[in-house]
Amino acid sequence: MKEAKINTDNWSFKLGILSVSLLAQTAPLLSVATPQLEKAFPNMSQEAIEELSSLPNLSVVFLILFSTAIAKKIGIKKTVMTGLFLFLIGGVLPAFLNNYWAIAACRLLMGLGFGLFNPFSVSMLYIFYKDEDLSNMLGYQNCFQNLGNAAFGVLMGVLVLGGWRVAFMGFAIAIIPLLLFGYKVRIPADKDETAADSSSKKEKQATNAHVFAIATLMLIGIALFMVMTIKLPSFVVTAKITSTSVASSVLGGMALVSMVSSSIFGKVQHILKNYIMGIALLGIFISFIIVANSHTLIIMILGVAVGGWFFGWVFPQGFFRLGEVAPKNSGNLATSIVLMFVSFGAFLSPIATNGIAQLFGMGSPAGVFTVSGYIFAIVGIAHLVYTAIEYKRA
């Protein structure tokens, strides 16, 4: 029996694929509950409590490269659905636990689930879309990431008022992509990993230096930008600007700004070309300096909004370039490598940024913002110079 053709321009199909990206940036937003968790587990260090926010990114590293191999055995859709289910269980279960290590184990389980479905949130776009359609869908994909981030940030700001246990219940948001992806997305046999594995016409997936260069840039970018999510609640308290609950809402607003900037990425990229990455990194540098030196809520919100706007271009541009430089038929592998680096960068963020800031005698939250901002400036200028040289050679 002939398989029915899929209309990839249908918005119900697009929503099903894009819904998976709603969860991409939600795990670190547990940071809003850090002060309450410190009181609940007084025997654990501040660093150990902060690591609960980034711990899922550690287990992602161990599984993300195997997601393609698993998909070859059971198919893309079953792999994604399994990952979403593990994310849901690992996210919500800590609300019913009293032991720090049990909660940490659940956060690791949550990361395993994330490692299963997240590579396909991007690689499925390479399967179904090309050229300008791909550029637009990558922008929408990042838009959905920020939509999930924004909605979840506001939700956590409300839930944390009921205590840290209630805050964990917020991860039940994973039910949304479970339903949308489960009911709206069908992967044709000729595009599924199970079929790809048995087809002699398919080329073996490979990688190259360009893929690792992009992966390294994304690692640095996410490790530094995570400072905004992890340190802002502590910063507003030490600077006596506002409460952690308000800080969570501000982070949600930042995600909304990123969502808007991501939605116009295709048009901006058409104008700025590959210069867009360097410009975005310099824009984030400005935002970090504004936040580090803010003494009022309005100035802090301005700085956070500027960072959110420019960060909205970083991931779409990174993955757009990945589609250009990755070897043919190697989208899943290239995406997995980049996402592994991103996850490792997110996990290292509190360790690396705190360590670097302390080397300069700037261990306060404001100091971490300042040091991270100047690193963004250095990387941004270097990227602009590299791009100019690349265009001149071309």
Side-chain angles (χ1 to χ4, degrees):
M1 184 175 180
K2 189 175 180 179
E3 191 172 22
K5 186 177 180 181
I6 294 175
N7 181 9
T8 57
D9 291 328
N10 188 303
W11 268 104
S12 65
F13 178 82
K14 290 181 177 179
L15 285 173
I17 288 181
L18 293 172
S19 67
V20 177
S21 299
L22 289 171
L23 305 178
Q25 298 178 18
T26 57
L29 292 175
L30 179 66
S31 62
V32 70
T34 295
Q36 295 181 359
L37 287 166
E38 288 177 346
K39 293 179 181 178
F41 302 101
N43 294 329
M44 304 305 299
S45 67
Q46 181 183 358
E47 289 75 14
I49 298 298
E50 286 184 345
E51 280 297 342
L52 285 177
S53 298
S54 58
L55 198 56
N57 295 289
L58 176 62
S59 51
V60 167
V61 175
F62 292 108
L63 193 59
I64 203 166
L65 281 178
F66 297 101
S67 60
T68 299
I70 294 172
K72 286 180 179 179
K73 298 294 183 182
I74 66 175
I76 291 176
K77 184 161 185 176
K78 289 182 180 178
T79 302
V80 172
M81 294 295 287
T82 301
L84 290 171
F85 182 73
L86 292 178
F87 185 97
L88 174 63
I89 297 301
V92 173
L93 190 57
F96 307 97
L97 302 175
N98 297 309
N99 181 275
Y100 170 86
W101 296 108
I103 292 174
C106 286
R107 297 289 285 175
L108 289 171
L109 178 66
M110 183 181 179
L112 291 176
F114 188 76
L116 278 179
F117 70 74
N118 201 40
F120 298 103
S121 67
V122 176
S123 64
M124 279 190 294
L125 302 183
Y126 295 140
I127 293 174
F128 292 109
Y129 303 96
K130 303 293 181 185
D131 303 322
E132 188 174 349
D133 288 335
L134 175 61
S135 177
N136 289 331
M137 285 299 290
L138 286 169
Y140 295 145
Q141 188 266 342
N142 202 63
C143 182
F144 266 65
Q145 282 189 11
N146 289 297
L147 175 62
N149 193 354
F152 196 70
V154 174
L155 178 64
M156 288 292 277
V158 174
L159 293 180
V160 76
L161 297 176
W164 63 269
R165 294 184 186 277
V166 180
F168 274 108
M169 293 299 297
F171 289 105
I173 192 177
I175 293 174
I176 295 175
L178 263 171
L179 295 176
L180 283 175
F181 185 83
Y183 285 109
K184 298 296 183 181
V185 177
R186 179 171 60 83
I187 310 296
D190 63 328
K191 295 183 182 296
D192 205 345
E193 287 293 333
T194 51
D197 189 44
S198 59
S199 175
S200 59
K201 296 181 180 179
K202 296 287 183 178
E203 297 179 16
K204 185 177 181 180
Q205 296 202 54
T207 188
N208 56 35
H210 295 293
V211 171
F212 283 100
I214 291 173
T216 301
L217 177 63
M218 301 283 269
L219 182 153
I220 295 171
I222 193 65
L224 294 174
F225 197 78
M226 280 283 290
V227 168
M228 188 74 82
T229 299
I230 294 175
K231 285 296 182 182
L232 192 67
S234 300
F235 172 76
V236 298
V237 172
T238 56
K240 298 180 180 179
I241 293 177
T242 186
S243 66
T244 57
S245 179
V246 173
S248 178
S249 297
V250 171
L251 290 172
M254 177 187 74
L256 283 176
V257 173
S258 289
M259 183 180 71
V260 175
S261 68
S262 297
S263 67
I264 63 170
F265 165 76
K267 295 179 180 178
V268 177
Q269 203 275 342
H270 183 72
I271 298 171
L272 298 179
K273 306 296 183 184
N274 292 338
Y275 288 109
I276 191 173
M277 180 66 84
I279 292 171
L281 296 177
L282 289 178
I284 297 172
F285 151 68
I286 294 172
S287 79
F288 271 49
I289 298 304
I290 292 174
V291 171
N293 292 280
S294 61
H295 299 287
T296 65
L297 181 60
I298 298 298
I299 298 300
M300 186 202 72
I301 291 175
L302 174 63
V304 172
V306 171
W309 179 268
F310 285 104
F311 191 70
W313 296 341
V314 172
F315 271 69
Q317 174 60 16
F319 285 117
F320 184 77
R321 283 290 290 155
L322 189 67
E324 292 181 332
V325 303
K328 187 179 179 181
N329 297 322
S330 299
N332 280 351
L333 178 60
T335 302
S336 295
I337 290 172
V338 171
L339 291 176
M340 183 188 72
F341 273 58
V342 167
S343 298
F344 195 57
F347 171 72
L348 287 178
S349 179
I351 301 171
T353 53
N354 283 334
I356 294 172
Q358 288 172 3
L359 285 177
F360 291 93
M362 303 175 71
S364 67
V368 176
F369 273 110
T370 301
V371 172
S372 299
Y374 279 111
I375 298 176
F376 266 122
I378 294 169
V379 177
I381 292 172
H383 193 279
L384 287 175
V385 172
Y386 172 81
T387 303
I389 294 173
E390 188 180 45
Y391 277 129
K392 188 175 180 180
R393 287 176 177 174

